[in-house]
PDB file of all heavy atoms in Angstrom:
ATOM      1  N   ALA B  30     -13.896  15.050  -5.122  1.00 84.00           N
ATOM      2  CA  ALA B  30     -13.653  13.905  -4.250  1.00 84.00           C
ATOM      3  C   ALA B  30     -12.321  14.049  -3.534  1.00 84.00           C
ATOM      4  O   ALA B  30     -12.214  13.807  -2.321  1.00 84.00           O
ATOM      5  CB  ALA B  30     -13.680  12.618  -5.067  1.00 84.00           C
ATOM      6  N   MET B  31     -11.296  14.472  -4.277  1.00 86.00           N
ATOM      7  CA  MET B  31      -9.985  14.629  -3.660  1.00 86.00           C
ATOM      8  C   MET B  31     -10.018  15.717  -2.605  1.00 86.00           C
ATOM      9  O   MET B  31      -9.461  15.573  -1.510  1.00 86.00           O
ATOM     10  CB  MET B  31      -8.943  14.980  -4.726  1.00 86.00           C
ATOM     11  CG  MET B  31      -8.657  13.829  -5.674  1.00 86.00           C
ATOM     12  SD  MET B  31      -7.213  14.104  -6.687  1.00 86.00           S
ATOM     13  CE  MET B  31      -7.672  15.514  -7.624  1.00 86.00           C
ATOM     14  N   GLY B  32     -10.707  16.817  -2.929  1.00 87.00           N
ATOM     15  CA  GLY B  32     -10.767  17.936  -1.985  1.00 87.00           C
ATOM     16  C   GLY B  32     -11.453  17.528  -0.692  1.00 87.00           C
ATOM     17  O   GLY B  32     -10.941  17.801   0.405  1.00 87.00           O
ATOM     18  N   VAL B  33     -12.598  16.858  -0.809  1.00 87.00           N
ATOM     19  CA  VAL B  33     -13.357  16.501   0.390  1.00 87.00           C
ATOM     20  C   VAL B  33     -12.567  15.550   1.267  1.00 87.00           C
ATOM     21  O   VAL B  33     -12.395  15.775   2.471  1.00 87.00           O
ATOM     22  CB  VAL B  33     -14.706  15.859  -0.020  1.00 87.00           C
ATOM     23  CG1 VAL B  33     -15.370  15.226   1.183  1.00 87.00           C
ATOM     24  CG2 VAL B  33     -15.612  16.902  -0.631  1.00 87.00           C
ATOM     25  N   THR B  34     -12.052  14.472   0.663  1.00 89.00           N
ATOM     26  CA  THR B  34     -11.361  13.472   1.486  1.00 89.00           C
ATOM     27  C   THR B  34     -10.102  14.075   2.107  1.00 89.00           C
ATOM     28  O   THR B  34      -9.852  13.922   3.299  1.00 89.00           O
ATOM     29  CB  THR B  34     -10.984  12.252   0.645  1.00 89.00           C
ATOM     30  OG1 THR B  34     -10.290  12.703  -0.518  1.00 89.00           O
ATOM     31  CG2 THR B  34     -12.192  11.482   0.219  1.00 89.00           C
ATOM     32  N   THR B  35      -9.316  14.773   1.285  1.00 90.00           N
ATOM     33  CA  THR B  35      -8.061  15.327   1.799  1.00 90.00           C
ATOM     34  C   THR B  35      -8.329  16.355   2.880  1.00 90.00           C
ATOM     35  O   THR B  35      -7.676  16.368   3.933  1.00 90.00           O
ATOM     36  CB  THR B  35      -7.265  15.966   0.656  1.00 90.00           C
ATOM     37  OG1 THR B  35      -7.173  15.015  -0.404  1.00 90.00           O
ATOM     38  CG2 THR B  35      -5.880  16.360   1.107  1.00 90.00           C
ATOM     39  N   GLY B  36      -9.348  17.182   2.663  1.00 90.00           N
ATOM     40  CA  GLY B  36      -9.671  18.197   3.652  1.00 90.00           C
ATOM     41  C   GLY B  36     -10.070  17.577   4.974  1.00 90.00           C
ATOM     42  O   GLY B  36      -9.570  17.980   6.037  1.00 90.00           O
ATOM     43  N   LEU B  37     -10.932  16.574   4.919  1.00 90.00           N
ATOM     44  CA  LEU B  37     -11.414  15.980   6.167  1.00 90.00           C
ATOM     45  C   LEU B  37     -10.299  15.258   6.913  1.00 90.00           C
ATOM     46  O   LEU B  37     -10.205  15.341   8.139  1.00 90.00           O
ATOM     47  CB  LEU B  37     -12.571  15.019   5.861  1.00 90.00           C
ATOM     48  CG  LEU B  37     -13.882  15.731   5.535  1.00 90.00           C
ATOM     49  CD1 LEU B  37     -14.888  14.759   4.943  1.00 90.00           C
ATOM     50  CD2 LEU B  37     -14.460  16.373   6.777  1.00 90.00           C
ATOM     51  N   VAL B  38      -9.445  14.553   6.174  1.00 89.00           N
ATOM     52  CA  VAL B  38      -8.363  13.839   6.853  1.00 89.00           C
ATOM     53  C   VAL B  38      -7.357  14.830   7.429  1.00 89.00           C
ATOM     54  O   VAL B  38      -6.833  14.635   8.525  1.00 89.00           O
ATOM     55  CB  VAL B  38      -7.694  12.839   5.888  1.00 89.00           C
ATOM     56  CG1 VAL B  38      -6.487  12.204   6.541  1.00 89.00           C
ATOM     57  CG2 VAL B  38      -8.681  11.775   5.474  1.00 89.00           C
ATOM     58  N   THR B  39      -7.130  15.919   6.702  1.00 91.00           N
ATOM     59  CA  THR B  39      -6.210  16.930   7.228  1.00 91.00           C
ATOM     60  C   THR B  39      -6.761  17.532   8.522  1.00 91.00           C
ATOM     61  O   THR B  39      -6.032  17.725   9.502  1.00 91.00           O
ATOM     62  CB  THR B  39      -6.008  18.048   6.188  1.00 91.00           C
ATOM     63  OG1 THR B  39      -5.626  17.441   4.958  1.00 91.00           O
ATOM     64  CG2 THR B  39      -4.917  19.001   6.632  1.00 91.00           C
ATOM     65  N   LEU B  40      -8.050  17.784   8.532  1.00 91.00           N
ATOM     66  CA  LEU B  40      -8.695  18.274   9.751  1.00 91.00           C
ATOM     67  C   LEU B  40      -8.478  17.286  10.895  1.00 91.00           C
ATOM     68  O   LEU B  40      -8.111  17.670  12.016  1.00 91.00           O
ATOM     69  CB  LEU B  40     -10.187  18.473   9.481  1.00 91.00           C
ATOM     70  CG  LEU B  40     -11.034  18.969  10.650  1.00 91.00           C
ATOM     71  CD1 LEU B  40     -10.645  20.386  11.012  1.00 91.00           C
ATOM     72  CD2 LEU B  40     -12.514  18.899  10.312  1.00 91.00           C
ATOM     73  N   SER B  41      -8.684  15.999  10.600  1.00 90.00           N
ATOM     74  CA  SER B  41      -8.465  14.968  11.614  1.00 90.00           C
ATOM     75  C   SER B  41      -7.040  15.014  12.126  1.00 90.00           C
ATOM     76  O   SER B  41      -6.780  14.881  13.324  1.00 90.00           O
ATOM     77  CB  SER B  41      -8.740  13.582  11.024  1.00 90.00           C
ATOM     78  OG  SER B  41     -10.104  13.374  10.879  1.00 90.00           O
ATOM     79  N   ALA B  42      -6.094  15.194  11.189  1.00 90.00           N
ATOM     80  CA  ALA B  42      -4.685  15.188  11.581  1.00 90.00           C
ATOM     81  C   ALA B  42      -4.384  16.350  12.517  1.00 90.00           C
ATOM     82  O   ALA B  42      -3.704  16.184  13.537  1.00 90.00           O
ATOM     83  CB  ALA B  42      -3.805  15.256  10.340  1.00 90.00           C
ATOM     84  N   VAL B  43      -4.894  17.530  12.185  1.00 91.00           N
ATOM     85  CA  VAL B  43      -4.631  18.699  13.026  1.00 91.00           C
ATOM     86  C   VAL B  43      -5.235  18.491  14.412  1.00 91.00           C
ATOM     87  O   VAL B  43      -4.583  18.711  15.439  1.00 91.00           O
ATOM     88  CB  VAL B  43      -5.206  19.968  12.357  1.00 91.00           C
ATOM     89  CG1 VAL B  43      -5.097  21.146  13.303  1.00 91.00           C
ATOM     90  CG2 VAL B  43      -4.480  20.243  11.054  1.00 91.00           C
TER      91      VAL B  43
END
Side-chain angles (χ1 to χ4, degrees):
Chain B
M31 291 192 297
V33 168
T34 51
T35 309
L37 285 167
V38 174
T39 307
L40 179 67
S41 286
V43 173

